[in-house]
Amino acid sequence: MKILNKSLIFLLFVGLYPSILFAAEVNQYKPNQSWFYGGFHIGSSKLTTDENDEAGEKEGQQYGVMASSTLEYSQFDLNIAATYYFLNFESDRVENVKYDLETKTLALEASPLFRLNSNLSLGPKFQFILTEKMLVGPSDKENTSEDDVTTNMLIGLNGFFKHKVQYAEKEFNLRYGLHIHKPINIGNRDITILLLSLELGQIINL
């Protein structure tokens, strides 16, 4: 049933995307431009907890690859992305116990971006994990538990700076990103993930 629910969510996401574009075009809300981006991100993660048996604070790193479509409207942009990443939280050894919480997963995210100028944009984001859930507490199970040691939802903030580059008479966007992620529904824990990203984008014709 879990696999079926995730498959339905994925199909809904993929199926609604062209429908939204079609409806927007009919109602004269077609984006001015559409861009496809591909790139990678890397950053650090920190977990604090009030749970006494979880070996205190943990730190780690996250890195992964990403692909996104950015629809540019007159007043804002809409960024829809898929990302596959590795994330871990590692604790210091406490009473001969050391925790290393690892997650490798695929996620979808959406972010409305408000342009501060022609190069800089900023906006909130929502990320939904499709495959292996994010492990945020010690568990003897795989990352499929329904309790608060796993989560499949994150909220956060995206900031992008882009500039145009020319190569072989074609125009590209080079886009630098700063991202803040906060997983939700994780019990008495707090997690902050800070990421930097680099993407190359090309305009696409819808």
Side-chain angles (χ1 to χ4, degrees), residues 109-150:
E109 63 180 57
S111 177
L113 299 169
F114 302 95
R115 289 194 295 273
L116 304 181
N117 55 43
S118 60
N119 300 104
L120 188 62
S121 59
L122 185 70
K125 73 183 301 179
F126 174 79
Q127 185 179 99
F128 184 82
I129 292 174
L130 290 175
T131 52
E132 181 180 293
K133 289 185 176 182
M134 181 181 293
L135 185 62
V136 299
S139 174
D140 57 0
K141 306 173 184 178
E142 296 181 355
N143 300 27
T144 55
S145 172
E146 294 297 335
D147 56 28
D148 64 6
V149 301
T150 62

Side-chain angles (χ1 to χ4, degrees), residues 56-71:
E57 294 186 357
K58 303 170 187 67
E59 296 183 351
Q61 61 276 334
Q62 176 176 323
Y63 54 86
V65 294
M66 53 204 297
S68 60
S69 176
T70 300
L71 310 179

Side-chain angles (χ1 to χ4, degrees), residues 147-164:
D147 56 28
D148 64 6
V149 301
T150 62
T151 184
N152 60 1
M153 290 183 289
L154 297 87
I155 57 175
L157 188 67
N158 280 336
F160 290 109
F161 175 81
K162 66 181 181 182
H163 68 90
K164 297 187 183 301

Side-chain angles (χ1 to χ4, degrees), residues 61-115:
Q61 61 276 334
Q62 176 176 323
Y63 54 86
V65 294
M66 53 204 297
S68 60
S69 176
T70 300
L71 310 179
E72 296 186 353
Y73 295 89
S74 57
Q75 301 298 323
F76 69 97
D77 300 338
L78 178 61
N79 192 72
I80 300 174
T83 176
Y84 184 84
Y85 59 82
F86 167 84
L87 168 69
N88 83 316
F89 299 103
E90 185 174 316
S91 69
D92 294 328
R93 188 171 296 277
V94 178
E95 296 180 354
N96 293 322
V97 176
K98 183 176 181 178
Y99 290 115
D100 191 2
L101 312 177
E102 294 187 354
T103 302
K104 297 177 183 178
T105 195
L106 173 68
L108 297 179
E109 63 180 57
S111 177
L113 299 169
F114 302 95
R115 289 194 295 273

